[in-house]
Amino acid sequence: MAFRNEIHTEIEIEGTRDEIWSVLSDFAAYGEWNPGMRRVEGEASVGSRPSITLSLGGRSMKMRPTVTVVDPGRELRWLGRLLVPGLFDGEHIFSIDEREPGRVTFSQAERFRGLLVPFLRKTIEIDTTATFHAVNEALAGRVAAVRSVAAA
């Protein structure tokens, strides 16, 4: 499949929308479970600009995206930019879709735009996709751990 300036991954997770959202929106705890975002300071509120330390393909990078959508239990979205708009922009989308009671499809996507996108295509395709899959698996593990503690 040809790269179309977007990466999309998804995973089925045992849990409710609220359980997934609780983990996803708790930025302070990302360092405990999230292999792609080692540290996030700030809050999940529209207009906020959390400070994020990314781990991508063995490299560390800091960014301060602008949160654009907060729909609890459904969607979290932010827009990050490298230096100036149009150079390298990435819109990150986390979506939660409850397929049946106690089971959700969690998806993570990034839409890339800008002058540098064609030059970074291989890195985007390989490193970002692998990191997204690792984050999805880690989120499922974190939700399972939270559920097991709550059930005890």
Side-chain angles (χ1 to χ4, degrees):
M1 177 164 63
F3 177 69
R4 301 190 194 294
N5 295 358
E6 181 171 339
I7 301 292
H8 178 91
T9 62
E10 62 182 47
I11 188 171
E12 296 290 317
I13 300 175
E14 286 190 41
T16 66
R17 286 181 191 269
D18 290 340
E19 289 168 332
I20 308 306
W21 182 259
S22 177
V23 172
L24 190 64
S25 61
D26 183 6
F27 288 170
Y30 271 38
E32 298 171 16
W33 67 270
N34 191 320
M37 293 173 221
R38 304 304 300 160
R39 184 175 181 161
V40 179
E41 296 175 334
E43 57 185 49
S45 62
V46 173
S48 69
R49 296 196 63 220
S51 176
I52 301 174
T53 301
L54 298 172
S55 178
L56 187 65
R59 296 179 306 278
S60 185
M61 180 174 87
K62 291 192 178 201
M63 63 179 276
R64 290 188 52 98
T66 300
V67 176
T68 57
V69 175
V70 176
D71 186 356
R74 297 187 188 281
E75 182 179 54
L76 175 62
R77 186 182 296 222
W78 61 59
L79 178 63
R81 293 197 158 112
L82 179 64
L83 302 175
V84 296
L87 187 61
F88 185 80
D89 302 339
E91 180 182 36
H92 198 96
I93 304 140
F94 297 105
S95 298
I96 304 165
D97 183 20
E98 192 162 22
R99 300 293 178 151
E100 59 187 70
R103 190 146 186 89
V104 303
T105 298
F106 172 77
S107 64
Q108 189 175 184
E110 184 103 14
R111 295 181 184 141
F112 300 96
R113 295 181 299 275
L115 296 172
L116 293 179
V117 171
F119 304 103
L120 299 172
R121 181 164 279 142
K122 189 170 245 16
T123 297
I124 292 168
E125 285 180 291
I126 296 168
D127 294 344
T128 304
T129 302
T131 300
F132 280 16
H133 284 297
V135 169
N136 292 354
E137 292 292 335
L139 175 64
R142 180 71 170 201
V143 169
V146 168
R147 292 186 94 197
S148 108
V149 167

